[in-house]
Amino acid sequence: MLYKMQCDKFISNGHVRPAIEFHKGLNVIEGQDNGKNSIGKSTFLMCIDFAFGGNDYTDKLKTIKKNVGDHRINFSFKFESGLHHFSRSTHDPKIVYKCDENYNIISSMSIDDYTATLKILYGIDNKFASFRDLTSRYFRIYNRGNIDETLPLRGFSNESPTESVNALFKIFNLYGKIKDAREANKQAADIKSTFKSAGDYKIIELVNKTQIEKNNEEIKELELKLEEIIQKSNNGVIDLDAEKSELISKIDGQLKELKRERSLQYNKLKVIDNDKELSKISVQSDFEELKRFFPNVDIKKLEDIENFHNDLSKIFKKEMTDLEKKTWNFINVYNERIDELERKKLEIGCTTKIPKFLMEQHTAISKRLDTLRDQNKKYTEFEELTKQAKDKKEKLESTLLIEGANLSKIINDKMKQLCDELFSDYEEPKLSISKTGTYSFETENDEGTGTNYKGLILFDLAVLSLTQVPAIAHDSVTVKNIDKNVTENIYDLYNTFDKQVFAVIDRTNTYDQRMQDIVDNHRVIFLSSDGNELFGRSWAKKKHIEDNEDNND
């Protein structure tokens, strides 16, 4: 539990206030008897929320920082494990400091780690709700957006009823079935929406029921035409689907290209053969005969030339042989590929003698049939997705109805018990959760503001009793519109709790002695005007400055 709070900026009549100590059960923040505002009652509740990991003290109360400046709030929690001391600054509220008993800083942690630590220290094992989920919405403080008496489940301004109901299931640790049903519903709805968007953006062809009927008629006509084409074929091998027909057309194109390349290689072989024949021609060396006619010829030089020619001829022959071998390799590859494609055509069920015009007609009709059938398939798939989305939505609604009725009964029974204990002549409020995840909260035959606030308080106390919510806080606005005798009974009810209840009250002189005794016994701080405000002053008052200057100056 929250055990102590201290801040050097908490001032009373010019002096720093001593540490404020808290206790189990009811902790009263009392204002003066005239109900004076702007003395720090709601602000002090915000400080308590700040100690519980909230951010509204710095996020919403901008005038505090403006008029008080940055400051540290020190606080201690008490558990079976002992005292745990912490400190938090308005300068950097996202950091919480772990301290010793004198609030000297030992270490720091993030605000998320801090609230996770508090969850462990409080022994909370709720797997669906964080520590702030369990505290924030039940700290009903002015200016936090969760104090609307007609919407008691609301945790913050603009929270939807569905979000409020989800949060309630989480707080009761009963969100499992709802979570599964919501996720299944969302997934089915998202898939359906994505499918429809694909149709809207023409990524797929998505048609309506009327078009499907037209498609079916066209499919019948095209199937008849296709049958006629097959019958016209000599051997019927054209009975192929569009995919096979298109494949055969591609194969024919590949065969044509391969045969053209093969012809080029054969032509290259002819050139190589001609070059090889030329290379066989050589000079017949009969140098002695030559010398007879030309006695002065240089025989040695002629022999060198002839040897050089022979060397060139050998090199040329090798190159021609290599080129010929390489060309035959290409031809063999082309032949293998051509044979492979011809076999593939036969495997598909087509001969090379099918008339081209029949193949083209067959391909065109088959493609159109595929398009129409795909449209019909997509329509069927969309209808199935629509059905699945509808089924998942109905499943979610059924789950919400059943689980909501069970949870509502648990809460309503507790509110009735609390109401009967202290308000035997008053109707208790009733919570009802609908199949759409919204809710109603009302007291039969009474829609008054005071009755609604009484219902909100009873709801919070029921939740405090039934869950691991560690504490609640009620600002004075929750009881301002409630009859005094009812408020007195509420404080009697507060006084029965071991969990901490932080409550603001003023004008206690208007209540009976029993109420005044409860306040006196559970008061943790008293605030009033003229120096006893939370910060020792009120900046809501206008400053009156007297001009004492000499008029003659």
Side-chain angles (χ1 to χ4, degrees):
M1 71 171 190
L2 181 62
Y3 178 66
K4 191 179 292 186
M5 180 178 290
Q6 184 272 331
C7 178
D8 291 343
K9 297 296 184 178
F10 291 170
I11 306 294
S12 177
N13 298 314
H15 301 285
V16 176
R17 293 178 185 272
I20 299 156
E21 295 188 2
F22 304 92
H23 39 259
K24 288 183 178 181
L26 178 61
N27 293 263
V28 176
I29 296 91
E30 185 183 2
Q32 62 197 76
D33 288 340
N34 63 4
K36 188 73 173 178
N37 292 323
S38 300
I39 57 176
K41 295 171 293 183
S42 298
T43 300
F44 188 66
L45 281 185
M46 285 287 203
C47 291
I48 294 173
D49 182 63
F50 195 60
F52 275 85
N55 297 311
D56 286 346
Y57 179 67
T58 52
D59 289 349
K60 294 188 175 181
L61 303 185
K62 301 297 185 183
T63 57
I64 300 294
K65 189 169 185 177
K66 176 182 176 183
N67 291 278
V68 178
D70 283 322
H71 53 283
R72 279 176 59 188
I73 298 179
N74 305 317
F75 38 89
S76 302
F77 283 85
K78 186 177 183 180
F79 302 100
E80 290 182 1
S81 59
L83 290 173
H84 298 261
H85 309 284
F86 304 97
S87 181
R88 196 175 173 194
S89 170
T90 59
H91 175 68
D92 191 3
K94 293 183 179 180
I95 299 296
V96 178
Y97 299 98
K98 184 174 177 60
C99 305
D100 61 21
E101 63 273 13
N102 296 315
Y103 296 108
N104 296 309
I105 295 173
I106 298 173
S107 60
S108 65
M109 66 184 84
S110 70
I111 189 64
D112 290 338
D113 287 342
Y114 170 68
T115 54
T117 299
L118 286 182
K119 187 175 181 181
I120 293 170
L121 290 172
Y122 269 100
I124 297 170
D125 58 4
N126 188 312
K127 62 183 178 180
F128 297 114
S130 68
F131 184 78
R132 286 304 296 167
D133 290 335
L134 292 163
T135 52
S136 179
R137 64 183 56 243
Y138 302 110
F139 274 53
R140 311 279 189 175
I141 308 170
Y142 178 74
N143 199 33
R144 291 198 72 233
N146 66 341
I147 207 165
D148 188 335
E149 78 280 8
T150 64
L151 297 169
L153 273 64
R154 174 182 283 179
F156 54 87
S157 298
N158 301 321
E159 181 181 59
S160 70
T162 300
E163 290 174 313
S164 299
V165 168
N166 284 344
L168 188 63
F169 277 111
K170 292 176 183 179
I171 287 164
F172 275 80
N173 209 14
L174 296 173
Y175 190 59
K177 292 181 181 179
I178 303 297
K179 178 176 179 288
D180 292 343
R182 282 201 181 282
E183 288 177 352
N185 176 64
K186 184 179 184 303
Q187 183 182 36
D190 287 348
I191 293 173
K192 175 190 172 185
S193 177
T194 301
F195 203 92
K196 185 177 185 304
S197 295
D200 292 341
Y201 287 102
K202 308 304 180 185
I203 298 172
I204 61 172
E205 288 191 78
L206 198 58
V207 297
N208 55 30
K209 188 175 181 179
T210 301
Q211 184 61 47
I212 290 299
E213 293 173 354
K214 293 180 180 179
N215 284 1
N216 290 334
E217 291 298 320
E218 186 176 353
I219 287 171
K220 290 179 182 178
E221 293 175 3
L222 291 176
E223 285 176 341
L224 289 174
K225 289 182 180 179
L226 197 62
E227 184 62 31
E228 290 176 2
I229 291 174
I230 293 171
Q231 290 176 355
K232 288 178 181 179
S233 177
N234 291 331
N235 51 18
V237 294
I238 201 171
D239 187 10
L240 306 169
D241 58 26
E243 183 180 356
K244 289 183 178 180
S245 297
E246 187 172 1
L247 181 58
I248 288 171
S249 296
K250 288 182 180 179
I251 289 174
D252 285 339
Q254 290 174 333
L255 285 170
K256 181 178 179 181
E257 180 65 20
L258 287 168
K259 289 176 180 179
R260 187 184 71 83
E261 290 294 330
R262 185 178 63 179
S263 295
L264 291 176
Q265 295 299 324
Y266 277 127
N267 291 337
K268 187 182 292 185
L269 278 178
K270 291 179 181 179
V271 173
I272 292 171
D273 287 339
N274 291 335
D275 289 343
K276 285 170 69 177
E277 289 296 323
L278 288 174
S279 67
K280 294 178 182 179
I281 301 172
S282 63
V283 178
Q284 299 298 321
S285 301
D286 189 352
F287 296 127
E288 291 299 326
E289 186 69 22
L290 184 64
K291 189 175 181 179
R292 189 165 60 89
F293 292 101
F294 301 98
N296 297 322
V297 69
D298 189 346
I299 298 299
K300 179 67 172 64
K301 187 174 182 179
L302 290 174
E303 288 176 346
D304 290 341
I305 292 172
E306 178 65 11
N307 289 334
F308 177 71
H309 178 266
N310 289 335
D311 290 340
L312 285 177
S313 178
K314 289 177 182 179
I315 294 171
F316 183 74
K317 286 179 181 179
K318 185 178 185 305
E319 288 180 350
M320 289 297 101
T321 301
D322 290 344
L323 183 58
E324 182 181 30
K325 184 177 180 180
K326 186 176 180 181
T327 303
W328 273 113
N329 286 339
F330 278 124
I331 291 171
N332 290 334
V333 169
Y334 289 133
N335 285 335
E336 289 176 4
R337 182 58 178 156
I338 289 168
D339 291 343
E340 180 184 346
L341 290 176
E342 294 286 3
R343 285 195 303 271
K344 192 170 184 179
K345 284 180 66 175
L346 290 173
E347 288 172 2
I348 293 171
C350 175
T351 69
T352 57
K353 297 180 180 180
I354 295 176
K356 184 177 180 181
F357 77 94
L358 284 179
M359 181 63 72
E360 289 175 349
Q361 288 181 21
H362 181 276
T363 300
I365 292 175
S366 296
K367 282 185 176 181
R368 178 57 180 164
L369 281 171
D370 284 349
T371 298
L372 295 173
R373 287 166 180 159
D374 186 64
Q375 288 179 357
N376 288 8
K377 180 182 177 183
K378 292 293 188 296
Y379 174 81
T380 302
E381 289 175 357
F382 185 68
E383 287 293 293
E384 180 60 27
L385 291 175
T386 301
K387 181 180 181 300
Q388 290 177 8
K390 182 174 178 290
D391 291 344
K392 297 301 181 185
K393 182 180 178 181
E394 290 176 353
K395 174 64 175 176
L396 172 60
E397 290 176 346
S398 174
T399 303
L400 281 167
L401 203 59
I402 295 170
E403 298 299 312
N406 292 337
L407 180 55
S408 296
K409 185 178 187 307
I410 293 170
I411 295 172
N412 290 338
D413 287 348
K414 190 63 180 180
M415 289 194 296
K416 177 174 173 53
Q417 176 193 333
L418 296 172
C419 192
D420 288 347
E421 287 177 5
L422 296 173
F423 315 111
S424 57
D425 53 344
Y426 287 95
E427 289 284 344
E428 74 278 1
K430 287 186 175 66
L431 169 68
S432 178
I433 297 174
S434 73
K435 67 178 183 179
T436 59
T438 59
Y439 72 96
S440 63
F441 189 92
E442 56 191 12
T443 301
E444 189 175 355
N445 299 322
D446 194 342
E447 298 176 350
T449 302
T451 297
N452 288 337
Y453 273 114
K454 174 174 69 71
L456 180 147
I457 292 170
L458 287 173
F459 171 75
D460 284 1
L461 291 174
V463 172
L464 187 66
S465 299
L466 297 167
T467 70
Q468 292 182 310
V469 168
I472 63 173
H474 286 164
D475 209 341
S476 58
V477 68
T478 59
V479 296
K480 281 192 183 299
N481 293 287
I482 298 177
D483 292 341
K484 284 185 170 52
N485 64 312
V486 175
T487 300
E488 291 165 357
N489 288 342
I490 287 172
Y491 269 73
D492 282 334
L493 201 52
Y494 285 156
N495 201 26
T496 64
F497 281 81
D498 285 332
K499 288 184 179 180
Q500 288 183 305
V501 177
F502 304 100
V504 175
I505 192 73
D506 50 26
R507 296 188 177 92
T508 53
N509 62 325
T510 63
Y511 294 96
D512 65 15
Q513 188 60 46
R514 178 171 52 92
M515 172 72 164
Q516 293 182 37
D517 290 342
I518 291 174
V519 172
D520 289 340
N521 291 331
H522 296 85
R523 183 190 304 111
V524 295
I525 190 170
F526 175 77
L527 300 171
S528 58
S529 57
D530 300 324
N532 192 42
E533 296 90 348
L534 180 62
F535 297 104
R537 61 191 176 91
S538 174
W539 44 83
K541 295 180 180 179
K542 289 184 178 180
K543 295 180 179 179
H544 299 285
I545 303 175
E546 296 183 0
D547 185 2
N548 293 322
E549 293 182 341
D550 191 328
N551 292 331
N552 294 324
D553 288 348

